[in-house]
Amino acid sequence: MRILKNSNFDFMSKKIFALGLSGLIVFAGIFSLLVNGGPKLSIDFKGGTLVAVQYNKDIKVEDVRSKMSNINIDGQKFDFSKEEVKYFGSKSAVSIRVPHIENSPSNFAQKIADHLFQSFPNQVPEDMTKFVLSKGKINYDEFMDMVSAAAPSIGHCNTMGTASSMNSVAEALGMSLPGCAVIPAPYREREQISFDTGKRIVGMVHEDLKPSKIMTRKAFENAVIVASAIGGSSNCTTHLTAIAKHIGIKFDLSNWQKLGHEIPLLVNCQPAGEYLMESFFSSGGVPAVMKELIKNKKIHTNIKTVTGKTVGENLRKKVDIDNKVIKTFKNALTEKAGFLVMRSNFFSSAIMKTSVISKEFKDQYLSNPKHPNVFECKAIVFEGPEDYHKRLNDKKLKVNENSILIIRGCGPVGYPGSAEVVNMQPPDRLLKKGIRHLPTLGDGRQSGTSESPSILHVSPESAVGGDLGIVKTYDKIKIDLNKRRVDLLISQAEFKKRRKNKKVFKPKNQTPWQEIFRNTVGQLDDGACINSRGKYLDVSHTKGLPRDSH
């Protein structure tokens, strides 16, 4: 359930198109409510934001308006009872125009929508894509047509997903031209910078400017800090570790916590924030974030980039920054936004993305006054995504708000290839109650677009004998974010017994490539690289160029 934020959409000032655009907006709004991951929508207009909410049955406008008079958001009181509330395409969806308010709380529109949901708990719908499909209103082919139509242009994820995150990390590493990372695919600027990139590569060849001269340890440190500040994808940890390994730099998971955890969240983009990537681009993009980090002495400025200039030289140019989207250290969305490296008595390491820990999740699991950031829960274990989808809604499975969903068999060897399947939803009966997230844990990955604060990349994975394989459904697990621990609460005798009876994974390879991959790949904590032990670094100098085959 997330808000969709269209940047710089000023339909009120374009009165000549008012009628046509209002119809288009309603259509787009209803479509988004049905397809794009949840029953909330917000659209900017001149002087404020249009917030729309979809319920599971008809609702009276006056009932909604009655709930708008005394809204408490982050300790501030707001009264929107005199603002315009009306139906939004149907009598089960309403919209309200919220005026622009200076210094409003972060994720303001999201929190207003959350208030509207909490005001009518019996009318909260389940995820809308599932809802229309499961109710038989559309068939699977129609569902897939709707999902396909939800991507209206070329380009990759329009949130801070893995593609946008890794583009940003590449720029922070010094391996792409300044401002390149998040230009929307259809923009003229994307075509221009593609040309400039090709031209610059030729220049780098003439200058003998190699990646190894750019991707130094200091460059990797910059990349970690920028990834933390933008609320980057959890996949950045594995990718960056792999890149460092292939260039011969020792750079492991501990660097993410040591360098990145204390960095504040500066970018107000989904899933950790409110806006989409188009807004991030128009607000200054990665250069604006790096300038703020330089201002606070957090990144290295004297290291070389693909331009042939240093980071500091690249960023001397003035950048127009929109502080609604790109924050300063003083008004950051979250004080500490980096990744936690978790340890355990049943695994060596895992990571947790803290920038997506919502207030709702905090209140439910991390707010015990005697033990803040510590909670215990009961395991619900799934053997891969097929098992999860098959059994999640089984009434015999006792899943409640005190459960942690665990998935295994999804790592580099087990899946194979480490699948993006750890961001599991609660069962439908909990979604209907308004419980949107449960703690989740697994030896696979999750999409950077996910707003779930999962414990990911459990290493070693269950398929190579990791103790994740001995966890049973209804086992008690303690999670302590202060100590960065995840512990299985069973006796040493029980540990010994389970380890003795642990099942041995027998891969069922479907192709020779799966067999080769499984026999050579490492774990996610080490970049999931082929275990070549550094034999193939700087090949042209150490081994000579391979022979041509023609």
Side-chain angles (χ1 to χ4, degrees), residues 327-531:
K327 305 293 184 177
T328 64
F329 268 57
K330 289 181 181 177
N331 70 344
L333 292 168
T334 304
E335 190 180 337
K336 296 178 181 179
F339 294 88
L340 290 178
V341 179
M342 309 295 286
R343 307 294 180 186
S344 173
N345 61 356
F346 65 96
F347 59 78
S348 296
S349 70
I351 61 158
M352 184 175 186
K353 179 178 172 179
T354 61
S355 62
V356 291
I357 295 177
S358 64
K359 184 178 183 301
E360 175 190 7
F361 191 90
K362 233 177 237 178
D363 291 346
Q364 176 70 31
Y365 300 106
L366 307 176
S367 297
N368 183 332
K370 292 183 180 178
H371 304 287
N373 300 319
V374 181
F375 64 100
E376 291 184 4
C377 44
K378 287 191 176 180
I380 304 293
V381 182
F382 299 102
E383 308 292 343
E386 296 83 5
D387 184 37
Y388 160 73
H389 288 297
K390 181 180 178 181
R391 292 197 299 122
L392 178 66
N393 287 307
D394 188 336
K395 291 177 182 176
K396 294 177 185 175
L397 198 61
K398 296 170 185 174
V399 186
N400 58 36
E401 56 268 35
N402 298 313
S403 300
I404 179 169
L405 304 180
I406 293 179
I407 193 166
R408 60 192 177 203
C410 300
V413 174
Y415 201 77
S418 63
E420 291 188 340
V421 293
V422 181
N423 44 311
M424 297 170 282
Q425 281 191 330
D428 290 350
R429 63 182 179 276
L430 294 187
L431 287 173
K432 288 175 183 177
K433 283 183 179 179
I435 298 169
R436 301 190 298 165
H437 301 296
L438 291 176
T440 59
L441 179 148
D443 53 10
R445 301 177 298 119
Q446 78 178 24
S447 169
T449 62
S450 173
E451 57 184 354
S452 169
S454 307
I455 297 169
L456 307 157
H457 305 185
V458 167
S459 301
E461 62 180 301
S462 60
V464 298
D467 279 345
L468 180 60
I470 68 173
V471 181
K472 295 181 178 180
T473 291
Y474 307 133
D475 277 347
K476 194 175 278 189
I477 289 178
K478 180 179 180 180
I479 297 174
D480 186 335
L481 298 190
N482 305 315
K483 295 180 180 177
R484 295 161 185 133
R485 295 285 306 176
V486 181
D487 288 307
L488 179 59
L489 303 181
I490 58 174
S491 67
Q492 286 304 309
E494 182 65 16
F495 257 114
K496 193 173 180 181
K497 178 183 170 186
R498 290 189 190 184
R499 283 171 178 152
K500 187 178 179 181
N501 298 321
K502 192 189 297 181
K503 288 182 181 177
V504 177
F505 174 71
K506 294 179 181 178
K508 295 178 180 177
N509 295 312
Q510 296 157 301
T511 68
W513 314 119
Q514 285 187 2
E515 184 176 2
I516 292 167
F517 181 83
R518 279 178 161 137
N519 288 340
T520 57
V521 71
Q523 292 295 288
L524 285 167
D525 63 347
D526 197 31
C529 300
I530 289 175
N531 287 320

Side-chain angles (χ1 to χ4, degrees), residues 162-183:
T162 302
S164 299
S165 298
M166 284 306 298
N167 267 11
S168 300
V169 164
E171 189 172 325
L173 267 174
M175 286 299 293
S176 69
L177 296 179
C180 175
V182 294
I183 304 171

Side-chain angles (χ1 to χ4, degrees), residues 6 8 12 19 21 30 33 53 57 104 131 143-144 187 220 227 242 251 256 279 302 309-310 346 382 402 488 540:
N6 296 347
N8 303 321
M12 290 297 288
L19 288 174
L21 276 176
I30 295 167
L33 292 174
V53 178
K57 57 185 177 183
S104 61
F131 187 74
F143 168 72
M144 291 307 297
Y187 277 33
F220 280 95
F251 200 84
W256 283 88
S279 297
N302 61 344
K309 299 175 182 177
T310 65
F346 65 96
F382 299 102
N402 298 313
L488 179 59
S540 63

Side-chain angles (χ1 to χ4, degrees), residues 210-248:
K210 301 184 184 76
S212 56
K213 293 180 180 178
I214 296 164
M215 288 193 284
T216 61
R217 181 171 183 85
K218 286 184 176 180
F220 280 95
E221 289 175 356
N222 279 1
V224 167
I225 290 164
V226 169
S228 301
I230 64 176
S233 165
S234 54
N235 291 313
C236 292
T237 61
T238 299
H239 292 324
L240 211 57
T241 300
I243 294 167
K245 192 172 182 180
H246 281 294
I247 210 160

Side-chain angles (χ1 to χ4, degrees), residues 42-200:
S42 79
I43 303 171
D44 283 350
F45 67 90
K46 192 172 184 179
T49 303
L50 181 79
V51 176
V53 178
Q54 171 78 55
Y55 294 100
N56 65 0
K57 57 185 177 183
D58 290 356
I59 193 165
K60 294 179 180 178
V61 164
E62 50 268 32
D63 289 345
V64 175
R65 187 179 287 111
S66 71
K67 301 295 184 181
M68 300 301 293
S69 59
N70 187 23
I71 304 177
N72 188 326
I73 297 178
D74 295 351
Q76 297 182 53
K77 300 278 187 177
F78 298 93
D79 184 352
F80 297 130
S81 58
K82 294 181 181 177
E83 300 300 329
E84 184 180 21
V85 181
K86 57 185 181 181
Y87 290 122
F88 195 71
S90 76
K91 288 188 176 181
S92 62
V94 295
S95 67
I96 178 169
R97 293 172 185 257
V98 178
H100 174 68
I101 295 173
E102 288 294 327
N103 301 317
S104 61
S106 62
N107 299 334
F108 193 40
Q110 170 82 47
K111 288 169 182 175
I112 291 169
D114 286 343
H115 169 80
L116 288 174
F117 268 124
Q118 291 158 11
S119 298
F120 302 97
N122 295 328
Q123 293 187 226
V124 177
E126 51 193 306
D127 179 85
M128 294 304 291
T129 46
K130 281 173 59 183
F131 187 74
V132 293
L133 180 64
S134 62
K135 293 293 181 185
K137 294 181 180 179
I138 56 173
N139 61 33
Y140 183 76
D141 289 339
E142 290 170 318
F143 168 72
M144 291 307 297
D145 286 342
M146 292 175 76
V147 171
S148 301
S153 77
I154 57 173
H156 53 67
C157 47
N158 62 357
T159 64
M160 191 63 76
T162 302
S164 299
S165 298
M166 284 306 298
N167 267 11
S168 300
V169 164
E171 189 172 325
L173 267 174
M175 286 299 293
S176 69
L177 296 179
C180 175
V182 294
I183 304 171
Y187 277 33
R188 178 198 59 79
E189 290 94 330
R190 174 57 67 196
E191 186 176 341
Q192 180 62 51
I193 209 162
S194 299
F195 175 82
D196 293 342
T197 298
K199 187 177 177 183
R200 181 60 198 140

